[in-house]
Amino acid sequence: MQEIIDSKAYFSRELLVWYDRSKRDLPWRRHRDPYYIWVSEIMLQQTRVDTVIPYFHRFIERFPSIADLAEAPEEDVLKCWEGLGYYSRARNLQTAAQQVMERHGGVVPNDKEAVSALKGVGPYTTGAILSIAYNQPEPAVDGNVMRVLSRYFLIEEDIMKARTRIMIEELAAGLIPQGRASDFNQALMELGALVCTPKSPSCLTCPVMEHCAARLEGVVDELPVKSKAKPPRPEYRFVALVEGSGRNEGRVLIRRRADKGLLARMWELPHMLANVSPLEGAGLLDAPAMDQLVGELAEVGIDVKPEGAYMDAEHTFSHIHWNLRVFRFGDVAERINNVAESGTGYEFGGDEATLGGREGDSGEYRWINQQDMASLAFPKVFLTILNRYFELN
DNA sequence: AAGACGGGGGT
DNA sequence: ACCCCAGTCTT
């Protein structure tokens, strides 16, 4: 028993010594502004530090205060998040900024109930904000912390289980040295990121290697225990690259995705799920799906003529693997800006048309050139396709 | 408890 | 090719 107590005190003490000497100079560590801490923690969810840094700089420059973020057009927030992924983080962050304006006078709250009530702020981020920004002795348990502690204390429970996270939170809370919650929690994550890494950890340079149970037992590589995620299911999709004619010469047709679900409210090229039997191999030959895609465009007033395959693209989400075959289409009879049928669900205005939501999209369409992309948020795979197209044409 | 939800980097 | 990442929300 005494051994465990000593081992804990040793861990906390040596970890802080190491952190004071080795901590990285990160943008959000240069201020104690709770808003900066909050933004960085949301961006860092499931995302590496190196990826986040440029996004953090742009975001803070564009939205310097909580009030700026709360009042901004959602489109601007999404555009600032473009390429970072998990876009509900961006929309939730803006919603939470509005909550902070309304409920807390524009100041990030410093009590657990109020912080965790903010949209997009779960157990980890609550602890991170309270400890890092306000130095409160709350645990902030992320993947790094679970890995470090499961090794040091030889915890063999599956870290994917909620029960395990709660147990580790209680353990982590008991390790926080008096008055050093901010540094200690960051030190724990820093160790996981720099030394106690998932693959080939640097045990020989680890500040707490002497009492690391996994190292002493020779099972560092077996921990943490983590159940495997299911592989993403494949999907085959036809994508329409519709080239405008007449007043839309040089432009391409895009649509906006639905308010909820995958890539919510982002812009994309129109596409349609194809039914491909596994026996057909790569067979992207689903004629009915192609007809559906053409039919859907006809419904928003765009008659198109296929002009052949343009390129293939792939994109992997956590749960879906997209195989995209992009086809060029000519726009043969542009009705979209010339005809307005009232009472049919269509609304026309400028270069936009709306058809009340089919599966997956908002029914909102636009013709754009490459310059227009600067203000519209696209998922990575469509950014790649569109940029390639505009560069070559 | 399980699935949805992006994208990049490391091995 | 597979694993992982400074997780949260919905069902």
Side-chain angles (χ1 to χ4, degrees), chain A residues 44 46 120 122 125 142 144 147:
Chain A
L44 285 163
Q46 305 288 276
T125 308
D142 67 348
N144 280 319
R147 185 173 57 256

Coordinates of all heavy atoms in Angstrom, one line a residue, chain A residues 44 46 120 122 125 142 144 147, chain C residues 3-10:
Chain A
L44 N -8.5 20.2 -30.8 CA -7.6 19.1 -30.5 C -8.3 17.8 -30.3 O -7.7 16.7 -30.3 CB -6.7 19.4 -29.3 CG -5.6 20.4 -29.5 CD1 -5.1 21.0 -28.2 CD2 -4.5 19.8 -30.3
Q46 N -9.5 14.5 -31.2 CA -9.3 13.6 -32.3 C -8.4 14.1 -33.4 O -8.4 13.7 -34.5 CB -10.6 13.1 -32.9 CG -11.6 12.5 -31.9 CD -11.1 11.2 -31.4 OE1 -11.4 10.2 -32.0 NE2 -10.5 11.2 -30.3
G120 N -21.1 20.9 -27.1 CA -19.8 20.3 -27.6 C -18.8 20.1 -26.5 O -17.6 19.7 -26.8
G122 N -17.8 18.0 -23.5 CA -18.0 16.8 -22.7 C -17.1 16.7 -21.5 O -16.5 17.7 -21.1
T125 N -13.3 17.9 -22.1 CA -13.1 19.3 -22.3 C -13.5 20.1 -21.1 O -12.8 21.2 -20.8 CB -13.9 19.8 -23.6 OG1 -13.5 18.9 -24.7 CG2 -13.6 21.2 -24.0
D142 N -8.0 12.1 -21.6 CA -8.1 11.9 -23.1 C -7.4 10.6 -23.4 O -7.0 9.9 -22.5 CB -7.5 13.1 -23.9 CG -6.0 13.2 -23.7 OD1 -5.5 12.5 -22.8 OD2 -5.4 13.9 -24.4
N144 N -4.4 10.1 -24.5 CA -3.0 10.1 -24.0 C -3.0 9.7 -22.5 O -2.2 8.9 -22.1 CB -2.4 11.5 -24.1 CG -1.9 11.9 -25.5 OD1 -1.3 11.0 -26.1 ND2 -2.2 13.1 -26.0
R147 N -3.7 6.1 -22.0 CA -2.5 5.3 -22.3 C -1.4 5.3 -21.3 O -0.9 4.3 -20.8 CB -2.0 5.7 -23.7 CG -0.9 4.8 -24.2 CD -0.5 5.2 -25.6 NE 0.0 6.6 -25.8 CZ -0.8 7.5 -26.3 NH1 -2.0 7.3 -26.8 NH2 -0.3 8.7 -26.4
Chain C
dC3 P -6.0 -2.3 -36.9 OP1 -6.0 -3.5 -36.1 OP2 -7.2 -1.8 -37.5 O5' -5.3 -1.2 -36.1 C5' -3.9 -1.2 -35.9 C4' -3.4 0.1 -35.3 O4' -3.2 1.0 -36.4 C3' -4.4 0.7 -34.4 O3' -3.8 1.0 -33.1 C2' -4.9 1.9 -35.1 C1' -3.8 2.3 -36.0 N1 -4.2 3.0 -37.3 C2 -3.6 4.1 -37.7 O2 -2.7 4.6 -37.0 N3 -4.0 4.8 -38.8 C4 -5.0 4.3 -39.5 N4 -5.3 4.9 -40.6 C5 -5.6 3.1 -39.2 C6 -5.2 2.4 -38.0
dC4 P -4.8 1.4 -31.9 OP1 -4.2 0.8 -30.7 OP2 -6.2 1.2 -32.3 O5' -4.5 3.0 -31.8 C5' -3.1 3.4 -31.9 C4' -3.2 4.9 -32.1 O4' -3.5 5.1 -33.5 C3' -4.3 5.6 -31.4 O3' -3.8 6.2 -30.2 C2' -4.9 6.6 -32.3 C1' -4.1 6.4 -33.6 N1 -5.0 6.3 -34.8 C2 -4.8 7.3 -35.8 O2 -4.0 8.2 -35.6 N3 -5.7 7.3 -36.9 C4 -6.6 6.3 -37.0 N4 -7.3 6.4 -38.1 C5 -6.7 5.3 -36.0 C6 -5.9 5.3 -35.0
dC5 P -4.8 7.0 -29.2 OP1 -4.2 7.0 -27.9 OP2 -6.1 6.6 -29.5 O5' -4.6 8.5 -29.8 C5' -3.3 9.0 -30.2 C4' -3.5 10.3 -31.0 O4' -4.1 10.0 -32.2 C3' -4.4 11.2 -30.2 O3' -3.8 12.5 -30.2 C2' -5.7 11.2 -31.0 C1' -5.2 10.9 -32.4 N1 -6.2 10.2 -33.2 C2 -6.5 10.6 -34.5 O2 -5.9 11.6 -34.9 N3 -7.4 10.0 -35.3 C4 -8.0 8.9 -34.8 N4 -8.9 8.3 -35.6 C5 -7.8 8.4 -33.5 C6 -6.9 9.1 -32.7
dA6 P -2.8 12.7 -29.0 OP1 -1.7 13.5 -29.3 OP2 -2.6 11.4 -28.2 O5' -4.0 13.4 -28.3 C5' -4.0 14.3 -27.3 C4' -5.4 14.5 -26.8 O4' -5.3 15.5 -25.9 C3' -6.4 15.0 -27.9 O3' -7.7 14.8 -27.3 C2' -6.1 16.5 -27.8 C1' -5.8 16.7 -26.3 N9 -4.9 17.8 -26.0 C8 -5.1 19.0 -25.4 N7 -4.1 19.7 -25.2 C5 -3.1 19.0 -25.8 C6 -1.7 19.2 -25.9 N6 -1.1 20.3 -25.5 N1 -0.9 18.3 -26.5 C2 -1.5 17.2 -26.9 N3 -2.8 16.8 -26.9 C4 -3.5 17.8 -26.3
dG7 P -8.6 13.5 -27.8 OP1 -8.4 12.3 -26.9 OP2 -8.3 13.3 -29.2 O5' -10.0 14.1 -27.7 C5' -10.9 13.7 -26.5 C4' -12.2 14.4 -26.8 O4' -12.7 13.9 -28.0 C3' -13.2 14.2 -25.7 O3' -13.9 15.4 -25.6 C2' -14.1 13.1 -26.3 C1' -14.0 13.3 -27.8 N9 -14.0 12.0 -28.5 C8 -13.4 10.9 -28.3 N7 -13.6 9.9 -29.1 C5 -14.4 10.5 -30.0 C6 -15.0 10.0 -31.2 O6 -14.9 8.8 -31.7 N1 -15.8 10.9 -31.9 C2 -16.0 12.2 -31.5 N2 -16.8 12.9 -32.2 N3 -15.5 12.7 -30.4 C4 -14.7 11.8 -29.7
dT8 P -15.2 15.5 -24.6 OP1 -15.2 16.9 -24.1 OP2 -15.3 14.4 -23.7 O5' -16.4 15.5 -25.7 C5' -16.5 16.4 -26.7 C4' -17.8 16.3 -27.5 O4' -17.8 15.2 -28.3 C3' -19.0 16.2 -26.5 O3' -20.0 17.1 -27.0 C2' -19.4 14.7 -26.7 C1' -19.0 14.4 -28.1 N1 -18.6 13.0 -28.4 C2 -19.1 12.4 -29.5 O2 -19.8 12.9 -30.3 N3 -18.7 11.1 -29.7 C4 -17.8 10.3 -28.8 O4 -17.5 9.2 -29.1 C5 -17.4 11.0 -27.7 C7 -16.5 10.3 -26.7 C6 -17.8 12.3 -27.5
dC9 P -21.5 17.1 -26.3 OP1 -21.9 18.5 -26.3 OP2 -21.5 16.3 -25.1 O5' -22.4 16.3 -27.4 C5' -22.2 16.7 -28.8 C4' -23.2 15.8 -29.6 O4' -22.7 14.5 -29.8 C3' -24.6 15.7 -29.0 O3' -25.6 15.9 -30.0 C2' -24.6 14.2 -28.4 C1' -23.6 13.5 -29.4 N1 -22.9 12.4 -28.9 C2 -22.8 11.2 -29.6 O2 -23.3 11.1 -30.7 N3 -22.1 10.2 -29.1 C4 -21.5 10.3 -27.9 N4 -20.8 9.2 -27.4 C5 -21.5 11.5 -27.1 C6 -22.2 12.5 -27.6
dT10 P -27.1 15.7 -29.6 OP1 -27.8 16.8 -30.4 OP2 -27.3 15.7 -28.1 O5' -27.5 14.3 -30.2 C5' -27.1 14.0 -31.5 C4' -27.5 12.6 -31.9 O4' -26.6 11.6 -31.3 C3' -28.9 12.2 -31.5 O3' -29.5 11.6 -32.6 C2' -28.7 11.3 -30.3 C1' -27.4 10.6 -30.6 N1 -26.6 10.1 -29.5 C2 -26.0 8.9 -29.6 O2 -26.2 8.1 -30.5 N3 -25.3 8.5 -28.5 C4 -25.0 9.3 -27.4 O4 -24.3 8.8 -26.5 C5 -25.6 10.6 -27.4 C7 -25.4 11.5 -26.2 C6 -26.3 10.9 -28.4

